[in-house]
Amino acid sequence: MAANEQHYTLPLPVFDKPVKLLIVVAPYYRDIADNMIAGAQATAAAAGASVDLIEVPGALEVPTAIAMAGRMADYDGFVALGCVIRGETTHYETVCNDSSRALSMLGLQGLCIGNGILTVENRPQAEVRADPADQNKGGGAAAAALHLIALSRKWAGRTKGIGFRPQGESIRIAGEPEGPSRA
């Protein structure tokens, strides 16, 4: 059973400049959302990050709100929170797949996002995962965003040059004598 497994958790990063997170939550299941918010806020506070919170109607709107904030607001990272519980129709698959895919695409575009949208079979699974004293998936999503922010800051301003060569390296074509670079 996965609940009995031991998992390694990275220590929270340390920042030398302030960090500002936006938590975007779909509070369809209010009690579950509130627990996830509490976990995310506590993790952000432990790392010294400030947090703003907005609510959207459902999990499908979370990526859209994050994309808008990424373009129009000044946040270092984002925490996506919500819960999708399997029902009797295929709507579950649509919401799970599309919200996850959209968040992944935003991340690949450079946004620092921790995905805390729960996708579960039933309410008890959601309750355990949302509880800050249990699996604390809200806190885990905030930690993921913080780690991505730390990586982004670490690599900010670095350039790789053109193509696959590190900046400053020259190309040597086989069969030609060594000499001035053809870069």
Side-chain angles (χ1 to χ4, degrees):
M1 182 186 249
N4 296 327
E5 301 243 357
Q6 294 295 315
H7 302 277
Y8 175 73
T9 302
L10 293 172
L12 289 177
V14 176
F15 297 97
D16 56 354
K17 294 186 304 188
V19 172
K20 189 170 182 182
L21 288 176
L22 176 64
I23 296 174
V24 180
V25 62
Y28 191 80
Y29 301 101
R30 179 91 254 171
D31 58 325
I32 292 167
D34 286 345
N35 268 344
M36 294 185 70
I37 292 166
Q41 289 174 328
T43 297
S50 66
V51 173
D52 287 339
L53 173 71
I54 62 166
E55 294 182 347
V56 296
L60 288 174
E61 291 75 37
V62 171
T64 303
I66 289 173
M68 291 167 56
R71 284 190 313 272
M72 297 187 274
D74 188 24
Y75 292 99
D76 297 299
F78 305 91
V79 181
L81 299 179
C83 178
V84 185
I85 299 175
R86 185 180 297 278
E88 297 175 358
T89 69
T90 59
H91 184 67
Y92 172 85
E93 282 84 9
T94 299
V95 175
C96 294
N97 293 335
D98 290 356
S99 62
S100 178
R101 183 178 301 109
L103 290 173
S104 294
M105 294 302 294
L106 291 169
L108 291 172
Q109 293 172 19
L111 295 183
C112 300
I113 303 171
N115 183 354
I117 297 178
L118 300 178
T119 55
V120 297
E121 297 294 320
N122 54 55
R123 178 172 263 284
Q125 288 177 348
E127 290 167 350
V128 167
R129 285 161 177 76
D131 187 348
D134 205 327
Q135 290 189 18
N136 192 20
K137 296 298 184 180
L146 291 164
H147 282 287
L148 292 171
I149 293 165
L151 282 175
S152 176
R153 288 184 176 182
K154 175 181 177 177
W155 293 328
R158 293 189 181 181
T159 60
K160 295 169 77 177
I162 299 172
F164 297 102
R165 292 179 285 123
Q167 190 171 8
E169 283 190 18
S170 61
I171 299 174
R172 183 172 178 283
I173 298 175
E176 287 191 2
E178 289 192 38
S181 169
R182 295 177 45 106

